[in-house]
Amino acid sequence: MPHQPTVLIAHHLPHVSITLQHLLHQAGVRNITVVWQGDEAVAKALSLQPDLVLLDVLLPQIDGYGACQMIQQGWDTHGGRVWLLSERASHVDVDQARQVGAERVIEEPFDPDEVVALVQQTLGLKAMPTALAG
């Protein structure tokens, strides 16, 4: 049986989390966990060790930068990926994201098709026709 990728979504806005969850499910990701706070994101990432974590930089309790750094330190050799979602994707924000171990910064509002394509490519999922993905 092939590996079923897992994704953790942590965003402070429930409608964004639900949208991402729906998009990724339509793209073939079946194991998705959603949380709304930074401390929950860190705990879930360390226990579940997902293949990909999507972190909002504006998470309550622990912001996305802090959560990313804690996840990367706690994973040690896990090899999962962490992406940050930010309303600002300036050079300073991207530099800060890289310093804490984020692989990518996705600027919000994001293009749903672009996010799906990036996730499919990253997780090795077969791309679905646009008509089926929406």
Side-chain angles (χ1 to χ4, degrees), residues 51-73:
D51 298 290
L52 178 62
V53 179
L54 302 175
L55 289 175
D56 174 24
V57 297
L58 297 177
L59 289 170
Q61 304 301 322
I62 301 170
D63 72 11
Y65 297 113
C68 180
Q69 187 168 28
M70 294 171 77
I71 290 166
Q72 293 293 12
Q73 290 171 345

Side-chain angles (χ1 to χ4, degrees), residues 98-120:
R98 298 243 187 264
Q99 288 175 4
V100 296
E103 180 181 271
R104 178 181 302 275
V105 176
I106 296 176
E107 188 171 7
E108 295 179 281
F110 52 82
D111 177 334
D113 292 334
E114 182 180 329
V115 171
V116 166
L118 287 169
V119 169
Q120 286 174 324

